[in-house]
């Protein structure tokens, strides 16, 4: 294929990437846009989102309430100007998505249905049964096909950002079909590569979620913000980590311990099953330590009981939950409770951006889960993320397009030479030789285990220090990975090895930021510092790459109208 120079280049064809591409295309008819994705866009993780997307839709709701819920949910670490922009624009975005073909579920009176979600004061989560992400991504994908100015590079894997003179000039990407690395020149680049849950052993995240874009930005000198905040979702299936959507509690499901009690009355009496995810996940650990969970070969679990909802509601509102439990645990939730336990789900941190998606590197933008625009702070509320990728995907697309209009065309020959270097580097880097005896799978497993042990639901100094050390050793051992498969066409061993490098970078920023945050806030829970400490830590962390361990710096939180208060539910 002929590679042209793009005005705006998206790395990622999920919800954020496609929304940004459409915004860029709409901003100016002459825009030339590229979308690079390591998988066919409809296979991006957005497709698997189930429960819904939040926006103020009803008379009993208002923007301030949505903003307050989000800020309280974030344990006061969200930037309040960002949250205000978010709640203000989310409604128009979801209405527009309907006009693009997204079939929101509806009430009998014809209005768009809304359901309850954790940490939200009222029902404000729109949904399309429990396959919301599939329908949203489909609507975005189909809409993107309308624009001739969008060129897609499906199954191209980005290996680095091409930075020249302090400014991003494109990316180098491996065409998986040919095995050749090319330069894709661009006046601006938007990172929309999603999260990195695969840093942990047990996650709802697809195998492709390896934090690639976070690592690419980090290596190019851009800081990663608030990386210590990792969300555990309280209801994953033991063994596989497959998500039982929060919508099952939104529709009225109960969490039950081995005494038959709805144990959340002890921890979040005001909200019960609709408490925020961080508190529910910690409650599970307390129950487990008190011997009140069930146990089998796959470990400890509690019950998510939907039986009282009845077959009709389950089939209408939660058909996917029934399908998944029948297929993966062989039980029917109409008749039996579902075994569940907390599972790594989402990264609040990511590439540091401002409210318009710009990063500190000229020409580089980010949006979606890969970015940290500082909307979710220390804990994201369920269903805010899909709306976030619409609002901030659109904002990043518009700002990158405006930036591109002011730029000269980058020098293609310089970039091609950089891409050729990259190809050689990759080939020699993983060539099989006597010393290259390390295995990808071994290093990955050790990384995931140390992350779970040191940087899991509860953390403390001693364990975090050990995790930091182990990650450093694993990074050294990673240099000795050799590949058995030296072929070029669809060589998944190469991409897996590159992904392992990305996850190791993400893991190092996460563990070091967590070690230095000596307080408990939102999802970051230190058993050696149990209280939130606004005096010392009401600030964002920024992790910068150095030749040694990452350097951690801090940034103030933007406050507008909400004073920090004790977070109670
Ligand atoms: C099971 C599950 C259920 C969820 N349910 C909900 C929900 O109900 N409501 C809600 O608000 N949120 C939900 N979330 C969270 C939400 O779905 C995600 O945060 C969001 O979809 C991320 O979108 P994204 O566009 O940022 O990234 P993704 O959809 O993950 O897309 C990333 C893109 O980047 C590309 N990419 C990555 N690396 C490279 C590379 N090196 N080179 C080229 N391309 C690359 C991929 O190919 C892909 O196209 C859920 C998440 C999961 C895992």
């Amino acid at each position: 294929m002929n590679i042209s120079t793009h005005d705006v280049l998206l790395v990622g064809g999920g919800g954020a990437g496609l929304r940004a591409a459409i915004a860029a295309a709409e901003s100016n008819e002459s825009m030339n846009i590229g979308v690079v994705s390591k998988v066919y866009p409809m296979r991006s993780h957005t497709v698997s989102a189930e429960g819904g997307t939040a926006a103020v839709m009803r008379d009993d709701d208002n923007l301030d309430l949505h903003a307050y819920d989000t800020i309280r949910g974030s344990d006061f670490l969200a930037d309040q100007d960002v949250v205000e922009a978010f709640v203000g624009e989310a409604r128009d975005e979801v209405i527009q998505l309907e006009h693009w073909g997204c079939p929101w579920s509806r009430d009998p009176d014809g209005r768009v249905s809304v359901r309850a979600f954790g940490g939200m004061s009222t029902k404000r989560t729109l949904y399309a049964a429990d396959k919301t992400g599939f329908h949203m991504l489909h609507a975005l994908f189909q809409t993107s096909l309308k624009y001739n100015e969008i060129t897609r590079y499906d199954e191209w894997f980005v290996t680095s950002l091409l930075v020249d003179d302090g400014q991003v000039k494109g990316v180098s990407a491996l065409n998986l079909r040919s095995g050749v690395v090319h330069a894709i020149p661009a006046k601006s680049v938007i990172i929309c590569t999603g999260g990195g849950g695969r840093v942990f052993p047990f996650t709802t995240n697809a195998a492709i979620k390896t934090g690639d874009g976070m690592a690419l930005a980090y290596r190019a000198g851009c800081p990663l913000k608030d990386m210590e905040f990792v969300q555990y979702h309280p209801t994953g299936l033991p063994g596989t980590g497959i998500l039982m959507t929060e919508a099952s509690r939104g529709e009225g499901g109960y969490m039950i311990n081995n005494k038959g009690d709805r144990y959340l009355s002890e921890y979040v009496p005001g909200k019960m099953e609709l408490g925020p995810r961080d508190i529910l996940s910690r409650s599970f650990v307390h129950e487990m330590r008190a011997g009140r969970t069930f146990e089998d070969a796959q470990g400890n679990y509690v019950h998510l009981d939907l039986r009282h909802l009845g077959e009709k509601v389950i089939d209408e509102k939660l058909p996917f939950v029934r399908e998944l439990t029948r297929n993966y645990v062989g039980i029917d939730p109409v008749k039996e409770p579902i075994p569940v336990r907390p599972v790594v789900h989402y990264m609040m941190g990511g590439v540091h951006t401002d409210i318009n998606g710009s990063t500190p590197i000229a020409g580089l933008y980010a949006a979606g889960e890969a970015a940290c625009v500082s909307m979710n702070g220390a804990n994201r509320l369920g269903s805010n993320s899909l709306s976030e990728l619409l609002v901030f995907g659109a904002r990043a697309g518009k700002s990158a397009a405006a930036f591109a209009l002011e730029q000269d065309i980058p020098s293609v020959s310089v970039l091609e030479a950089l891409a050729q270097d990259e190809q050689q580097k990759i080939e020699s880097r993983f060539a099989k030789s006597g010393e290259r005896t390390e295995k990808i799978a071994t290093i990955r497993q050790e990384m995931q285990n140390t992350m779970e042990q040191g940087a899991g639901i509860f953390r403390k100094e001693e364990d975090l220090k050990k995790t930091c050390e182990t990650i450093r050793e694993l990074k050294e051992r990673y240099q000795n990975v050799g590949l058995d498969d030296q072929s070029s066409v669809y060589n998944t061993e190469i991409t897996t090895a590159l992904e392992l490098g990305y996850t190791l970078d993400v893991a190092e920023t996460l563990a070091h930021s967590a070690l230095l945050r000596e307080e408990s806030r939102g999802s970051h829970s230190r058993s050696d510092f149990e209280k939130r400490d606004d005096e010392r830590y009401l600030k964002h962390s920024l992790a910068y790459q150095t030749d040694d361990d990452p350097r951690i710096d801090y940034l103030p939180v933007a406050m507008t109208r909400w004073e920090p208060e004790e977070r109670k539910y």
Side-chain angles (χ1 to χ4, degrees):
M1 95 189 262
N2 254 347
I3 300 177
S4 60
T5 296
H6 297 288
D7 294 301
V8 179
L9 185 67
L10 279 306
V11 184
L18 293 177
R19 182 65 192 92
I22 296 168
E26 283 184 332
S27 73
N28 187 313
E29 278 180 6
S30 64
M31 277 288 139
N32 176 341
I33 297 148
V35 176
V36 194
S37 179
K38 67 179 177 180
V39 297
Y40 193 74
M42 276 305 296
R43 301 179 74 108
S44 305
H45 190 75
T46 299
V47 81
S48 59
E50 299 169 24
T53 192
V56 170
M57 302 301 286
R58 293 287 169 93
D59 295 342
D60 68 348
D61 199 3
N62 62 68
L63 299 181
D64 277 2
L65 195 58
H66 190 188
Y68 173 69
D69 286 345
T70 303
I71 290 163
R72 179 167 66 150
S74 82
D75 220 346
F76 295 88
L77 196 71
D79 279 350
Q80 299 184 0
D81 54 345
V82 169
V83 175
E84 290 195 65
F86 164 70
V87 297
E89 290 165 32
R91 185 170 186 275
D92 290 346
E93 283 290 333
V94 298
I95 293 173
Q96 172 159 269
L97 207 62
E98 163 148 308
H99 298 165
W100 288 344
C102 184
W104 301 124
S105 293
R106 289 188 177 272
D107 287 353
D109 65 6
R111 290 186 306 170
V112 167
S113 303
V114 281
R115 62 169 42 131
F117 244 66
M120 302 279 190
S121 300
T122 183
K123 292 184 178 178
R124 64 164 72 96
T125 298
L126 291 79
Y127 55 95
D130 56 358
K131 297 183 178 169
T132 310
F134 169 83
H135 290 294
M136 286 179 66
L137 192 61
H138 209 255
L140 288 167
F141 183 61
Q142 290 184 112
T143 304
S144 77
L145 298 178
K146 272 197 331 204
Y147 296 96
N148 290 330
E149 48 275 56
I150 299 179
T151 305
R152 290 211 324 273
Y153 299 83
D154 294 343
E155 301 187 328
W156 285 55
F157 184 102
V158 173
T159 56
S160 69
L161 297 173
L162 300 177
V163 183
D164 185 25
D165 214 8
Q167 184 169 335
V168 171
K169 300 283 171 68
V171 303
S172 61
L174 175 65
N175 178 349
L176 298 178
R177 185 186 289 245
S178 66
V180 177
V181 177
H182 294 274
I184 310 180
K187 295 177 185 170
S188 66
V189 171
I190 314 181
I191 291 183
C192 296
T193 47
R198 288 278 157 172
V199 165
F200 288 85
F202 187 64
T203 173
T204 61
N205 284 194
I208 52 174
K209 293 195 70 174
T210 42
D212 304 12
M214 297 180 190
L216 291 169
Y218 180 58
R219 291 172 188 181
C222 179
L224 300 186
K225 185 164 60 189
D226 291 342
M227 289 303 287
E228 59 272 47
F229 300 105
V230 177
Q231 177 162 82
Y232 279 74
H233 193 296
T235 57
L237 292 181
T240 57
I242 290 172
L243 180 74
M244 293 292 102
T245 171
E246 189 159 302
S248 31
R249 283 172 282 126
E251 295 298 340
Y254 296 150
M255 302 288 290
I256 309 278
N257 65 13
N258 71 7
K259 303 278 177 237
D261 295 330
R262 284 176 70 192
Y263 61 92
L264 291 166
S265 57
E266 274 211 31
Y267 307 94
V268 259
K271 286 250 171 218
M272 296 294 288
E273 281 80 2
L274 289 174
R277 292 175 178 176
D278 55 339
I279 300 182
L280 262 57
S281 296
R282 284 195 289 275
S283 308
F284 171 89
V285 177
H286 291 309
E287 287 296 293
M288 185 174 75
R289 288 178 180 163
R292 292 193 292 264
T293 54
F294 303 94
E295 197 174 354
D296 68 11
Q298 289 179 326
N300 296 80
Y301 61 92
V302 287
H303 278 151
L304 170 64
D305 196 349
L306 307 182
R307 289 174 294 182
H308 56 286
L309 302 181
E311 186 162 11
K312 187 164 176 291
V313 170
I314 293 178
D315 281 347
E316 233 173 71
K317 304 267 178 77
L318 304 165
F320 197 40
V321 166
R322 197 172 186 192
E323 190 183 320
L324 289 169
T325 46
R326 278 176 157 169
N327 289 342
Y328 289 93
V329 277
I331 65 154
D332 181 356
V334 171
K335 302 193 187 109
E336 294 152 278
I338 308 168
V340 289
R341 56 158 279 194
V343 53
V344 167
H345 185 54
Y346 182 87
M347 289 199 166
M348 270 67 77
V351 179
H352 169 41
T353 75
D354 69 8
I355 198 166
N356 293 314
S358 318
T359 74
I361 298 187
L364 186 66
Y365 297 78
E369 195 175 337
C372 180
V373 61
S374 296
M375 190 190 113
N376 301 304
N379 173 63
R380 169 181 75 101
L381 293 189
S383 77
N384 264 353
S385 163
L386 290 173
S387 311
E388 173 185 353
L389 62 81
L390 296 174
V391 169
F392 294 101
R395 278 181 168 243
K398 280 182 215 153
S399 0
F403 176 86
L405 284 178
E406 308 288 312
Q407 307 306 310
D408 298 330
I409 295 177
S411 155
V412 175
S413 55
V414 171
L415 300 179
E416 232 355 288
L418 288 174
Q420 276 171 17
D421 272 4
E422 179 87 358
Q423 173 118 32
Q424 270 166 9
K425 249 190 343 211
I426 293 171
E427 279 168 7
S428 59
R429 163 75 194 72
F430 294 118
K432 194 110 187 124
S433 76
E435 302 101 64
R436 298 255 168 87
T437 50
E438 289 286 357
K439 293 278 170 223
I440 298 172
T442 317
I443 294 185
R444 183 174 50 213
Q445 201 174 16
E446 289 183 31
M447 169 191 71
Q448 291 175 336
N449 289 344
T450 190
M451 291 305 283
E452 178 81 12
Q453 281 152 15
I457 295 182
F458 286 101
R459 303 158 168 188
K460 59 177 189 292
E461 182 177 345
E462 192 189 333
D463 298 344
L464 277 164
K465 276 190 169 153
K466 217 192 271 157
T467 297
C468 290
E469 270 165 40
T470 309
I471 298 291
R472 189 181 317 121
E473 284 160 21
L474 291 173
K475 287 191 82 167
E476 279 160 25
R477 284 172 51 195
Y478 175 70
Q479 298 309 319
N480 297 326
V481 166
L483 303 189
D484 293 322
D485 183 356
Q486 298 290 329
S487 65
S488 47
V489 176
Y490 283 109
N491 184 334
T492 51
E493 206 186 3
I494 289 191
T495 49
T496 313
L498 292 169
E499 286 171 341
L500 177 62
Y502 296 146
T503 45
L504 283 166
D505 280 357
V506 170
E508 119 181 326
T509 60
L510 202 161
H512 282 271
S513 309
L515 175 63
L516 293 190
R517 187 174 283 276
E518 296 179 336
E519 64 160 354
S520 290
R521 181 186 298 272
S523 66
H524 173 70
S525 201
R526 291 277 302 248
S527 16
D528 43 357
F529 297 94
E530 287 181 340
K531 292 256 168 317
R532 192 175 86 194
D533 183 349
D534 285 343
E535 220 160 274
R536 289 173 69 209
Y537 288 107
L538 185 58
K539 55 190 182 184
H540 303 291
S541 67
L542 293 174
Y544 290 85
Q545 194 180 42
T546 73
D547 291 338
D548 200 356
D549 287 337
R551 176 170 65 83
I552 309 295
D553 207 344
Y554 293 93
L555 190 74
V557 175
M559 298 281 172
T560 57
R561 292 186 284 143
W562 292 273
E563 281 298 314
E565 60 187 28
E566 192 189 342
R567 184 166 166 246
K568 281 199 295 232
Y569 289 95

